[in-house]
Amino acid sequence: MPSSGDRKLAHVALLPSAGMGHLTPFLRLAASLTLQNVQVTFIIPHPTVSLSESQALSQLFASFPQIKHQQFHLLPLDNPSDDPFFEHFQLIKNSSRLLSPLLSALNPPLSVFITDMSLASTVTPITEAISLPNYVLFTSSAKMLTFFLCYPTLADSKAMDELDEMDVIKIRGLELMPKSWIPPPLLKKGNNILKTSFIEDSRKVAESSGILVNTFESFEQESLRKLNDCQLLLERLPSVVAIGPLPPCDFEKSQLQLTWLDDQPAGSVVYVSFGSRTALSRDQVRELGEGLVRSGSRFIWVVKDKKVDREDNEGLEGVIGDELMERMKEKGLVVRNWVNQEDVLSHPAVGGFFSHCGWNSVMEAAWHGVKILAWPQHGDQKVNADIVERIGLGTWVKSWGWGEEMIVNRAEIAEKIGEIMGNESLRIQALGIKEEARKTVGVGGCSNKGLSELINMWGKF
Ligand code: UDP
Ligand code: UDP
Ligand code: UDP
């Protein structure tokens, strides 16, 4: 809360990138800032890729009518990509010239602009031209941020090509990590869109006014220390402020009642979900279903076999098969499309999370003290899974590789689910992490202070 009446209110505009993984932390930040008397204008790239994004935005504006919003109409793209979310990053980049008049027209004038890291190279020239401080919200882990900032150096070094999969990358300041943890497109020779964007965005993030990360001190102490002690091989780095876990908001909750969960014993259900944009192959879906039945555990499983939710239109029986579907009903609830993860993770019946380790999912599991069985599928998820394992929030079966690399069979899945659900010490550790997560965003906590100090500073701009 602002301490004095004479300070002018900060006016902050937020611009998220595509997909729920990038949108959700922006929605939560918008809510947090509004509750601390910051005037927020939300810039919405339009149209969104998924239905869940447009629904989540509507829910935010219905709950917080004081948040202004501006549609940023995207121009069509000449070269469609095979990943609709990635294509959206490009659409936003291509439409960037429309952003400058939009920002300049906002009234009162903006104090700062906060954008997703994947838009840094697009937005920085615009904010520089109008002398507007530009902050970045990094929607992944602090450890991924160290990698992101070191990547231009890494991509330049010949040594990268000569390393084997399990060889460890050594760059001053970067924590050691095997080559196999790096998002595969970033390892390919020659140029590809992710590589080019990563390099361009990384350089611009390093030039921004500040970096906000959805993480917290006790969860990622080592990486945060490295970032703020200037131990990375970079000439300059803006301050990195941990502001997480950005607390889930009431407006996100769905009307749908998970009555099935209400009938299950406390801590007995494993929640199985691999995020908003990961589709499993049909063969893997079947093995996973058989594995869940064989594990003997109760489960709630969100089945997804298309990247974008609006294309997920085939019925469950079609994807899973009638016979397996019938057997699964004995112990589990199988859901097609979207369930509100917040509703599930906050439910007392849920005692474990079989997760791809998208960073929001990791922060949400920490927030609710739910232990994780990690199965990284792509992108930053191996780096995140390592954090989960080291901090004691869960376990990671490294031999399963990336999701698409192999079909993990039913016996292994059943065994690992049994292990995680029976692991009592992990349950206790997860509860300890939950306490830390709540403390850090509470009054006097590190993340709370970090955000409040920024807000105070923005009020003086
Ligand atoms: N989510 C959800 N229901 C689903 C799938 C995902 O509410 O069925 C939410 C989840 O709680 C998280 C976000 O969508 O906030 C997904 O972000 P994450 O970083 O975990 O993974 P991504 O979807 O980007 O791979
Ligand atoms: N749209 C889309 N993806 C979304 C949301 C909307 O492609 O996630 C398209 C939708 O198909 C329609 C247009 O955008 O053609 C307007 O959508 P909406 O109903 O959200 O209206 P508005 O946001 O303009 O009020
Ligand atoms: N990313 C980025 N710039 C881009 C595209 C992606 O910085 O232009 C980041 C992205 O946010 C993530 C990482 O690169 O941290 C891996 O991207 P991927 O698409 O695999 O995963 P995402 O996190 O978007 O689900």
Side-chain angles (χ1 to χ4, degrees):
M1 290 290 156
S3 49
S4 70
D6 55 352
R7 184 166 58 78
K8 84 177 162 68
L9 292 184
H11 180 195
V12 174
L14 302 176
L15 175 66
S17 189
M20 281 304 276
H22 293 267
L23 179 63
T24 301
F26 274 84
L27 300 173
R28 293 177 183 165
L29 179 60
S32 269
L33 291 174
T34 305
L35 292 169
Q36 297 189 61
N37 287 345
V38 172
Q39 183 172 342
V40 173
T41 298
F42 209 99
I43 315 277
I44 314 165
H46 188 82
T48 61
V49 183
S50 59
L51 284 174
S52 33
E53 288 166 83
S54 48
Q55 282 159 4
L57 283 161
S58 306
Q59 283 165 289
L60 171 76
F61 302 134
S63 295
F64 290 94
Q66 65 273 52
I67 297 182
K68 294 186 183 159
H69 50 281
Q70 285 281 332
Q71 292 225 350
F72 170 29
H73 290 276
L74 302 178
L75 301 170
L77 193 67
D78 301 333
N79 312 312
S81 130
D82 59 356
D83 182 325
F85 295 96
F86 207 76
E87 182 176 310
H88 215 75
F89 293 151
Q90 299 306 313
L91 270 177
I92 297 176
K93 286 186 185 218
N94 282 15
S95 313
S96 62
R97 65 187 157 80
L98 305 179
L99 205 52
S100 186
L102 199 157
L103 293 178
S104 301
L106 294 178
N107 194 20
L110 288 175
S111 321
V112 297
F113 190 31
I114 306 179
T115 56
D116 187 276
M117 69 278 198
S118 63
L119 303 176
S121 58
T122 307
V123 165
T124 313
I126 295 166
T127 48
E128 269 172 10
I130 54 174
S131 303
L132 179 64
N134 179 24
Y135 285 73
V136 167
L137 173 59
F138 196 81
T139 61
S140 182
S141 50
K143 181 155 185 172
M144 192 62 195
L145 174 59
T146 63
F147 173 77
F148 178 80
L149 292 168
C150 292
Y151 182 69
T153 317
L154 201 61
D156 261 356
S157 80
K158 290 210 174 58
M160 267 274 276
D161 295 341
E162 288 151 21
L163 292 176
D164 285 335
E165 281 279 285
M166 284 320 286
D167 281 350
V168 165
I169 293 171
K170 290 190 185 125
I171 289 200
R172 188 161 72 81
L174 184 68
E175 282 176 67
L176 300 182
M177 62 170 81
K179 187 176 169 184
S180 63
W181 294 4
I182 296 177
L186 298 180
L187 290 174
K188 286 195 184 136
K189 291 196 178 135
N191 280 335
N192 60 58
I193 303 177
L194 187 69
K195 254 176 112 167
T196 318
S197 315
F198 231 76
I199 293 170
E200 289 172 357
D201 290 330
S202 168
R203 292 195 173 122
K204 289 299 177 192
V205 167
E207 290 169 18
S208 65
S209 308
I211 307 171
L212 284 57
V213 195
N214 183 19
T215 190
F216 58 108
E217 188 61 37
S218 61
F219 205 72
E220 286 201 87
Q221 205 166 25
E222 185 60 18
S223 299
L224 288 167
R225 192 178 57 75
K226 285 209 155 97
L227 286 160
N228 278 322
D229 290 354
C230 296
Q231 290 182 16
L232 300 190
L233 203 61
L234 292 167
E235 274 169 30
R236 72 174 275 274
L237 192 61
S239 68
V240 175
V241 186
I243 59 163
L246 286 162
C249 302
D250 285 345
F251 70 80
E252 297 172 32
K253 291 208 183 249
S254 61
Q255 301 305 315
L256 187 86
Q257 297 298 311
L258 288 165
T259 45
W260 180 84
L261 275 178
D262 295 342
D263 297 332
Q264 312 306 317
S268 69
V269 175
V270 58
Y271 164 53
V272 185
S273 172
F274 306 103
S276 66
R277 45 179 290 194
T278 298
L280 297 186
S281 70
R282 287 291 165 103
D283 288 346
Q284 186 63 76
V285 165
R286 275 200 76 79
E287 284 306 307
L288 177 51
E290 293 286 357
L292 287 170
V293 173
R294 200 183 275 214
S295 75
S297 180
R298 292 181 171 79
F299 59 89
I300 171 166
W301 175 24
V302 186
V303 177
K304 213 172 142 51
D305 73 331
K306 297 279 189 313
K307 276 187 185 167
V308 181
D309 52 7
R310 65 179 81 240
E311 289 164 8
D312 267 321
N313 46 20
E314 188 176 350
L316 266 176
E317 279 79 3
V319 180
I320 290 173
D322 290 337
E323 187 268 335
L324 174 56
M325 205 46 214
E326 226 15 72
R327 279 187 286 131
M328 285 202 294
K329 280 181 190 156
E330 281 174 33
K331 280 270 179 128
L333 179 66
V334 189
V335 193
R336 187 81 171 120
N337 301 333
W338 192 258
V339 297
N340 184 284
Q341 187 157 297
E342 172 58 16
D343 292 347
V344 180
L345 288 176
S346 63
H347 199 288
V350 173
F353 185 7
F354 191 13
S355 169
H356 69 316
C357 288
W359 189 246
N360 295 289
S361 292
V362 171
M363 282 296 102
E364 289 158 13
W367 182 255
H368 291 294
V370 177
K371 58 193 170 184
I372 290 179
L373 171 59
W375 186 11
Q377 301 289 314
H378 55 80
D380 53 357
Q381 295 153 18
K382 281 192 181 179
V383 173
N384 300 345
D386 173 59
I387 299 167
V388 164
E389 191 167 61
R390 282 209 226 180
I391 202 78
L393 182 61
T395 58
W396 169 22
V397 193
K398 296 187 186 63
S399 60
W400 290 357
W402 293 109
E404 299 143 358
E405 251 170 355
M406 66 184 82
I407 302 284
V408 178
N409 71 44
R410 58 192 73 181
E412 276 192 86
I413 290 174
E415 183 193 330
K416 295 299 169 191
I417 288 180
E419 275 175 21
I420 193 104
M421 292 309 281
N423 191 329
E424 182 59 13
S425 60
L426 218 50
R427 186 184 72 80
I428 294 165
Q429 276 163 214
L431 289 177
I433 291 168
K434 170 180 172 177
E435 243 176 69
E436 297 276 334
R438 308 279 168 139
K439 229 193 271 169
T440 193
V441 298
V443 178
C446 286
S447 289
N448 179 301
K449 270 196 216 152
L451 187 59
S452 300
E453 282 168 15
L454 283 170
I455 292 172
N456 280 329
M457 183 167 72
W458 297 338
K460 294 176 193 147
F461 283 0

